[in-house]
Amino acid sequence: MWTEIGKSMTHLLRSPMPLSAFALPMRLVVSFPLAQLLHRHTTPKPFCSRMSATPSTSLTHSISLPTQLGQPVQVLAAPGLSDSEFRAAIESSLFRQWLKNLECENGILANGYMTLTQVLIQGVDMFGKRIGFLKFKADIIDKGTGNKVPGIVFARGPAVTVLILLESEGTTYAVLTEQVRVPTGRVVLELPAGMLDDDKGDFVGTAVREVEEEIGIRLKLEDMVDLTAFLDPSTGFKVFPSPGGCDEELGLFLYRGCVDKNIITQLEGKETGCVKHGELIKVRVVPYEKLWHTTPDAKALMAIAIYEMAKKEGLLPQ
């Protein structure tokens, strides 16, 4: 899974290399104000709740949602889940954002055709003092048929990824990472990416930090282009890699620059990551024209698709 954002990273080279040292001319300007990029995630609406437990029953929590007043939602703790874990789960930004999504304009509960009756909290993974991953099962009923819709949720929240394109001697290269991905059972060639580590929705700042941590170079906020900002507003300017089971939403960003060929050579094979946390990352540099059939990474393929369409329609800053 992706590494926790904000950890102290140890690079095997001397230190992260500033782009100024590479003599990279910054060619981009911000097309979208930072405030516009950060406004997407606002504080969720409050909801009424009540927790209770008896010696003979598991922990329960009652929630009243504005879209189904008079129909409280029961939240239960699965066997083995501690009181502190249960409380942390229902108070987490992951769970609150999911509830907010249910009632948004395109939300499942917005049109009144479905109803949420129960949520079973099955597991939590803590990243320090906060919940990094949350697993639960939601009982959502289609009122027309009376049947449940598939409701198993792996919540991990928003994340970012960056398509870095460096031009050198007439060839454009993409900068990627190669790292162990245990869920796939494989070593995967992918774009640098990471999870947001707070509730502020700082997609741009997280993208810049992640590139420094995984690649070892420093980018500036004003040189980032938000590719997901080109999507239709009905999408919420979000990309969902696996909506059938996971809530993860991605912000896709682009950086373009020019470098000397020796910089490409220095980046290729560079080892980064925090070894004590099991992060074994190698930087790989691939000719951009070969990227689409070189990587199995959905993030890279989505970024390529939006980048190429935005370029075709003249939306990219010159």
Side-chain angles (χ1 to χ4, degrees), residues 16-302:
M17 297 179 287
L19 286 178
S20 58
F22 295 164
L24 291 179
M26 301 306 184
R27 307 192 307 177
L28 302 180
V29 294
V30 177
S31 303
F32 305 93
L34 187 59
Q36 179 182 342
L37 296 175
L38 304 185
H39 85 288
R40 305 173 185 173
H41 292 265
T42 57
T43 304
K45 295 182 292 185
F47 51 81
C48 299
S49 61
R50 181 177 59 196
M51 181 178 291
S52 63
T54 66
S56 59
T57 63
S58 61
L59 290 166
T60 64
H61 185 70
S62 179
I63 296 175
S64 295
L65 299 176
T67 55
Q68 49 182 59
L69 295 176
Q71 296 178 291
V73 179
Q74 296 301 311
V75 185
L76 309 177
L81 201 70
S82 71
D83 177 79
S84 61
E85 290 174 329
F86 184 56
R87 290 176 180 275
I90 59 178
E91 294 172 0
S92 68
S93 60
L94 293 175
F95 189 63
R96 289 175 176 269
Q97 184 61 47
W98 178 75
L99 290 173
K100 181 181 178 182
N101 291 345
L102 290 177
E103 301 186 292
C104 72
E105 183 178 357
N106 297 325
I108 294 173
L109 305 182
N111 57 21
Y113 297 150
M114 297 190 183
T115 183
L116 173 64
T117 60
Q118 180 176 287
V119 176
L120 176 66
I121 305 295
Q122 297 172 310
V124 299
D125 285 297
M126 304 299 297
F127 288 6
K129 295 183 179 180
R130 71 179 183 89
I131 289 183
F133 300 143
L134 175 63
K135 171 74 162 44
F136 59 90
K137 182 178 181 181
D139 289 348
I140 293 182
I141 310 300
D142 179 356
K143 292 181 179 179
T145 63
N147 296 327
K148 291 182 183 179
V149 298
I152 296 176
V153 181
F154 171 52
R156 56 176 295 155
V160 297
T161 191
V162 187
L163 175 62
I164 303 174
L165 301 180
L166 301 180
E167 185 176 337
S168 180
E169 299 182 358
T171 300
T172 300
Y173 297 90
V175 183
L176 300 96
T177 64
E178 185 180 74
Q179 55 187 310
V180 173
R181 292 306 196 185
V182 174
T184 70
R186 300 173 56 182
V187 175
V188 179
L189 183 68
E190 60 184 287
L191 295 185
M195 298 165 58
L196 271 68
D197 59 357
D198 54 38
D199 301 332
K200 298 177 182 178
D202 185 3
F203 279 71
V204 188
T206 300
V208 170
R209 288 195 302 274
E210 195 63 27
V211 169
E212 181 175 342
E213 292 172 355
E214 292 197 355
I215 303 297
I217 59 178
R218 294 191 181 110
L219 306 180
K220 294 182 179 180
L221 292 174
E222 60 266 28
D223 296 314
M224 307 295 288
V225 177
D226 184 359
L227 292 175
T228 40
F230 296 131
L231 298 177
D232 188 87
S234 64
T235 67
F237 306 106
K238 303 167 185 176
V239 174
F240 296 98
S242 186
C246 183
D247 74 329
E248 180 182 43
E249 59 187 50
L250 278 175
L252 305 176
F253 289 85
L254 168 70
Y255 170 80
R256 295 180 293 179
C258 294
V259 298
D260 294 331
K261 189 57 177 291
N262 69 304
I263 300 306
I264 300 298
T265 302
Q266 289 179 36
L267 287 172
E268 173 59 33
K270 177 183 175 183
E271 296 182 336
T272 65
C274 186
V275 176
K276 71 177 181 179
H277 290 136
E279 294 174 348
L280 306 174
I281 299 173
K282 284 188 178 181
V283 179
R284 296 300 185 193
V285 183
V286 178
Y288 174 67
E289 64 179 9
K290 297 182 179 180
L291 179 59
W292 70 272
H293 59 88
T294 303
T295 174
D297 179 31
K299 302 184 300 298
L301 298 175
M302 289 186 292

